[in-house]
Structures are given as C-alpha cells and as structure tokens.
Amino acid sequence: MFGYVAADIKGLSKEERAIYKAHYCGLCHALKERYGSIGTSSLSYDMVFLEMLLSDLNDRDETEGSERCAVHPVKEHRYIVTDSTYYAADMQMLLGYYSLLDNIHDEGKGEREEEKYRAIITELTRRYPRQAEALKENLRLISIKEEERSKDAEALALLTGNFLGEIFVDDDGSFFRDDLRTLGCGLGRFVYLLDAWCDRKKDRKKGTFNPLAEDIGRSDMKDMLIDAAATASSAFERLPLDQHVSIMRNILYSGIWIRFEVKDKE
Amino acid sequence: MTDPYSVLGLSPGASDEEVKKAYKRLAKKYHPDIAGNSEEAAHRMQEINAAYDQIINHRSDWQYQQQRSSSYSSAYGSDEPIEMQAAVNYINARRFMEALNTLYSIPEGKRSGRWYFLSAYAKAHTGDTVGAGRDIDEAIRREPGNMSYHAFRDNLTGRRTAYSGYTQNYSANTPGGICSSLCLSLLFFRFCFCFI
C-alpha cells in the first residue's frame, strides 16, 4: 500500500533482523505460490507487519523453508510461513488491486495489469466480503472528498483507517477483533497523513490534490501523527503477543517515523 | 467473583507479559482444533477471555456490568431514547461498530451529554480518537460537572503523552533495550469506565 509500516533496521539485533527478513520472504513466498509474479510485485512492508502480528496472535504452527528467488537468485534464503501469511497475502492482493485502479484513474496507466487481476479479485471479494466492501466503500468516500478538494485531512485519514482496520481483523468472531481494528485504523490514519505530508510539495507544484493546509507546520503535523500512532500502539499493547513483540515495537515506536524524519531533513 | 489471575493459573500481581503468555498457552489448549467442539472447552475459553480482559483492560466482571446496565433505565429516566440502552449493551459486549450505528440512529436533537460520552467511548475503541476527542469535548460542554467525562478526556491526552515519551526513549536505546512490558503498562493509561 504505502510501505511506511516498516522496521528501523538499525534498531534490530542480528537475530531480529533475520526473523524480520524471513517473514518478509515468507509473505513473498505465499504471494508467489498463490498468485505468481503479479502477487510478488505487490509485496509491501505494511502487510509484513500484519503477517507478523496475526502469526503471533493466532499462534499457529510455523513452516520454515529455504529457497532462491528472482530477487536473490544466487543465495538461498530462509522463509517462514503460517496460516496468517496466506491471509496477509490475500489482503495484499486486495490492496494492490485498488491502488492499481487508483493509478489507472490518476495516470491512465495499468489497464492491462488490471485484466490480469480481475479473476483474482472476483474470488477474493467472494471470500472476504467484509474486507472487500470496507475497502471499496471507503475508497469511494475518499474519491468524493478528493473531488471536493477537501481540506479535512483527519476525515480522509479516518476513511483510510476504516478500511485498514477491517483488513486487520482476520476473524470477525475473534475476541480481539476490536483491538485489531483499532490498531489497523490508527496505522491507516498514520500512513495516510504521512503520505500527504511527504507529497505536499510535489502536489503543490503539480496542482494535484493534497488534503493538508498549505501552511501546515512540522509540529502540527507531528501532533496529528502522534495521535494516530498512539491509537495504534495502545491497542497493540493490549493484545496477547509474545513472539515478535520487540520487532513490532520497533516498527510502531521507531520504524514508522523514518520517512517523517527523512523528509524533515530535506 | 473468581480471581482472574487464578483462572489463568497465575498468582496475583503477575506481570502483563506473564499474563499474555499464560493466556496464549490456555487459548491453544482449548482451541476447537485441539479440544474439539466441546461445550466445556468453549466455556473455559469464555472464562479465560474474561480473565484476560479483566487484567489487561482493567474491566470489572461482565455479569457485574450487565447487572449495572440493567438498572440503567431507572437511573436515567424514561425520557432517554431506548437506543441508548442498546448502545450501552453493545459497548459492554465490545461491539463498538454496532454501538456507533445505534447511537447515530438517534436524531441530533435528542443527543445528550451522555450520548456524546458514549459516542466518544465507542469511537476511541474503533480507532477514531480524533472524533472521540471532539465528542468528549461536547459532552463536557453540556455536563461540565461530570467527572468521568473529564477522566476520559485526560485518558485520551495521556495516551499521546505516553507514546511520545516512549518513542523518544526508543530511538536512544540499543536493540532489545527497554522493551519491558512493565515500563509500558505504567505508561499506557487504559480505558476503563463503567456506564452508570
């Protein structure tokens, strides 16, 4: 989707880096297994976070393997998959499809790719009606607000939060569905706002839509981002997680800020 | 009322980390894939969930909540829309989306300070903390003397302060450094409110 929900690698130990990478490769493996190259091309760090989160929460058996791939053709690398990896892969495809539609709408590119996606999306919509409907409906509301040239960045961020929240809930009957939804919602709000912040100069130059006020300062922006991040992490801390906690905390308390800090120095 | 720690096989005062580990061990044991679809396993799972909720979310016993909410209508009189009680029930059952839908079915003219409080509470539990902040401000404007509304607002603000403090520490520390759950449980204020 955006790729902002990634670890701050410098803050991970050697073992943690290896585990993080094995989960990244695991999601890539699942995407390739189910969807081929169209799957692997949509891989993002955001869904690696979801994959690690649900794998930990659902506590299912891990399958480990080792393989070569198109990106690393020479050296074999380790990958880890669980049931949740396949769920994250499916969600990645849903998100990938709608961001492709967005590209077609904005830039008129990608129509041939869309054809390849279509059968997959029909199947995914049937299997995950709740998530697919949330995605479709909230993106529809976002595009209405974009056409109105809305300057209510928080309202737009919440729409992103609403669909990502629904995607984070893999099982609507789960005792933890509300914390999962809150966590996804906070992260969705965060990435929408950060994306708008990162693009604001480019958008101003090109005259393309941006929901942030022209004169928004860094500290106001940071306040908005902190509220979203705190929403996500307070829900995260309520979940019974015990496997990848330190890696996920690195992401939530440090990794998600990297792009904000970088853009800041520019 | 059973002691929630003993349900999880722990002694009182066990750390959040121990509570989480114990929860997961038991949840695996009583999962339908392993225990089968027995009624007893399902009942045990309910107890384990309630115990976890009680410790981690500082929630009082479910039945206790139910009992309190059933006396709700007499305390608030009959002029309040019946949907308010339904919303409280949804919130007690942790169905926050349904609670919000029910609340929003009440027309604007009939929304009380309490309506704004319930709305703020449900929004905070679905991730819309910005909307929650707006609603709690409105609740306080209407009922400035209600202390639980102020406590809720402090809670929302405290959560942001806690996050900022933790983030600052985080980058200053070496890998695996300060990720102690003790530190986090002290930092993170939790939502725990009764609805009366």
Side-chain angles (χ1 to χ4, degrees), chain A residues 11 56 59-60 158 176-178 181-182 189 227 231 233 237-240 242 249-250 252-253 257, chain B residues 20 23-24 28 31 52 57 94-95 97 125 127 129-130 159-160 163 166-167 170 175 179 184:
Chain A
D56 187 334
D59 210 9
R60 296 312 183 80
L158 182 61
F176 296 102
R177 59 173 206 156
D178 291 298
R181 185 182 286 118
T182 303
R189 285 170 50 204
D227 188 79
T231 302
S233 46
E237 297 298 343
R238 288 193 294 267
L239 292 167
D242 64 352
R249 283 200 182 128
N250 166 296
L252 290 174
Y253 296 101
W257 291 96
Chain B
K20 289 178 182 187
Y23 174 86
K24 283 181 87 169
K28 204 165 193 172
H31 193 279
Y52 183 86
N57 299 325
R94 300 170 65 105
R95 304 197 73 89
M97 285 294 186
H125 283 82
T129 44
V130 172
R159 197 182 39 91
R160 282 196 292 265
Y163 180 86
Y166 192 71
T167 301
Y170 202 95
C179 309
L184 280 166

Side-chain angles (χ1 to χ4, degrees), chain B:
Chain B
M1 213 189 291
T2 340
D3 163 37
Y5 287 95
S6 71
V7 174
L8 299 176
L10 298 166
S11 44
S15 72
D16 281 7
E17 217 145 73
E18 290 168 311
V19 168
K20 289 178 182 187
K21 276 198 192 304
Y23 174 86
K24 283 181 87 169
R25 195 176 56 242
L26 292 168
K28 204 165 193 172
K29 187 173 164 191
Y30 293 106
H31 193 279
D33 286 358
I34 290 157
N37 279 322
S38 88
E39 227 170 87
E40 201 210 320
H43 178 69
R44 275 291 287 155
M45 205 51 236
Q46 260 178 13
E47 282 178 358
I48 295 159
N49 282 339
Y52 183 86
D53 199 27
Q54 232 171 305
I55 299 168
I56 298 293
N57 299 325
H58 298 195
R59 276 168 58 102
S60 38
D61 191 87
W62 285 35
Q63 265 181 333
Y64 179 59
Q65 291 256 350
Q66 286 302 327
Q67 215 183 338
R68 287 181 67 119
S69 60
S70 65
S71 64
Y72 160 87
S73 45
S74 56
Y76 273 84
S78 52
D79 55 333
E80 250 196 347
I82 186 123
E83 288 87 349
M84 289 285 281
Q85 177 60 47
V88 170
N89 289 341
Y90 275 132
I91 288 174
N92 279 333
R94 300 170 65 105
R95 304 197 73 89
F96 300 109
M97 285 294 186
E98 287 86 344
L100 279 174
N101 289 338
T102 310
L103 286 170
Y104 275 85
S105 70
I106 298 172
E108 239 175 296
K110 288 189 177 171
R111 293 176 188 174
S112 57
R114 194 177 151 72
W115 184 95
Y116 282 96
F117 172 62
L118 293 180
S119 171
Y121 190 92
K123 280 178 183 171
H125 283 82
T126 55
D128 180 13
T129 44
V130 172
R134 262 196 310 265
D135 285 348
I136 198 63
D137 285 347
E138 180 59 24
I140 290 172
R141 201 184 63 76
R142 288 169 185 239
E143 284 178 48
N146 192 317
M147 282 302 128
S148 56
Y149 298 178
H150 287 277
F152 183 83
R153 185 160 69 181
D154 291 349
N155 215 322
L156 272 180
T157 329
R159 197 182 39 91
R160 282 196 292 265
T161 319
Y163 180 86
S164 310
Y166 192 71
T167 301
Q168 270 160 24
N169 284 337
Y170 202 95
S171 41
N173 277 268
T174 45
I178 61 158
C179 309
S180 86
S181 70
L182 175 72
C183 164
L184 280 166
S185 44
L186 289 174
L187 278 172
F188 274 105
F189 302 87
R190 281 168 179 140
F191 297 115
C192 55
F193 289 94
C194 299
F195 294 99
I196 295 293

Side-chain angles (χ1 to χ4, degrees), chain A:
Chain A
M1 189 174 53
F2 297 96
Y4 294 126
V5 188
D8 176 5
I9 297 294
K10 289 197 303 299
L12 295 179
S13 69
K14 207 177 155 201
E15 295 77 35
E16 288 167 347
R17 282 181 207 189
I19 294 170
Y20 189 48
K21 189 165 180 297
H23 279 270
Y24 180 89
C25 293
L27 181 56
C28 188
H29 174 88
L31 281 163
K32 188 169 174 55
E33 186 186 322
R34 278 213 176 151
Y35 304 109
S37 61
I38 195 171
T40 51
S41 67
S42 69
L43 178 61
S44 84
Y45 277 107
D46 307 321
M47 286 300 107
V48 178
F49 177 81
L50 177 65
E51 191 275 336
M52 291 186 86
L53 174 77
L54 295 178
S55 291
D56 187 334
L57 184 67
N58 295 334
D59 210 9
R60 296 312 183 80
D61 295 337
E62 289 185 348
T63 310
E64 273 200 57
S66 189
E67 66 184 0
R68 294 189 182 85
C69 67
V71 187
H72 308 99
V74 183
K75 208 175 156 220
E76 282 208 346
H77 55 266
R78 188 164 75 112
Y79 66 85
I80 295 171
V81 290
T82 70
D83 288 352
S84 302
T85 315
Y86 291 92
Y87 175 78
D90 291 347
M91 293 303 111
Q92 181 75 80
M93 293 306 283
L94 270 180
L95 287 167
Y97 177 69
Y98 284 98
S99 90
L100 179 69
L101 288 188
D102 199 42
N103 280 347
I104 296 174
H105 179 261
D106 292 351
E107 293 161 32
K109 276 185 280 186
E111 277 178 22
R112 281 192 53 199
E113 233 187 314
E114 197 265 336
E115 274 174 40
K116 282 193 242 164
Y117 257 107
R118 216 172 290 157
I120 299 170
I121 293 309
T122 312
E123 169 62 14
L124 288 176
T125 307
R126 194 187 58 76
R127 273 177 59 205
Y128 304 106
R130 174 176 55 80
Q131 294 91 327
E133 181 53 38
L135 195 50
K136 209 172 136 188
E137 175 60 11
N138 284 292
L139 289 172
R140 188 183 70 81
L141 296 172
I142 289 174
S143 72
I144 292 173
K145 285 201 176 286
E146 283 183 0
E147 267 159 43
E148 291 167 354
R149 311 292 272 186
S150 164
K151 283 288 173 193
D152 190 348
E154 290 283 16
L156 276 146
L158 182 61
L159 294 170
T160 307
N162 285 345
F163 75 68
L164 200 63
E166 220 52 69
I167 280 171
F168 267 51
V169 180
D170 58 336
D171 170 9
D172 201 32
S174 159
F175 184 68
F176 296 102
R177 59 173 206 156
D178 291 298
D179 286 331
L180 282 172
R181 185 182 286 118
T182 303
L183 170 51
C185 183
L187 282 176
R189 285 170 50 204
F190 187 92
V191 295
Y192 183 87
L193 292 169
L194 184 53
D195 197 51
W197 171 258
C198 291
D199 284 351
R200 73 196 191 288
K201 286 177 185 155
K202 188 193 83 192
D203 286 335
R204 203 176 304 156
K205 216 181 274 172
K206 285 187 174 176
T208 41
F209 172 76
N210 192 296
L212 295 173
E214 298 254 325
D215 58 345
I216 186 159
R218 182 183 185 271
S219 94
D220 286 343
M221 190 66 223
K222 193 162 185 178
D223 283 347
M224 288 161 84
L225 289 170
I226 283 178
D227 188 79
T231 302
S233 46
S234 55
F236 173 83
E237 297 298 343
R238 288 193 294 267
L239 292 167
L241 303 166
D242 64 352
Q243 289 163 30
H244 315 303
V245 182
S246 64
I247 301 173
M248 291 189 283
R249 283 200 182 128
N250 166 296
I251 295 171
L252 290 174
Y253 296 101
S254 177
I256 55 173
W257 291 96
I258 289 177
R259 297 278 281 279
F260 185 67
E261 309 295 342
V262 169
K263 279 279 158 189
D264 222 38
K265 284 177 194 145
E266 277 174 9

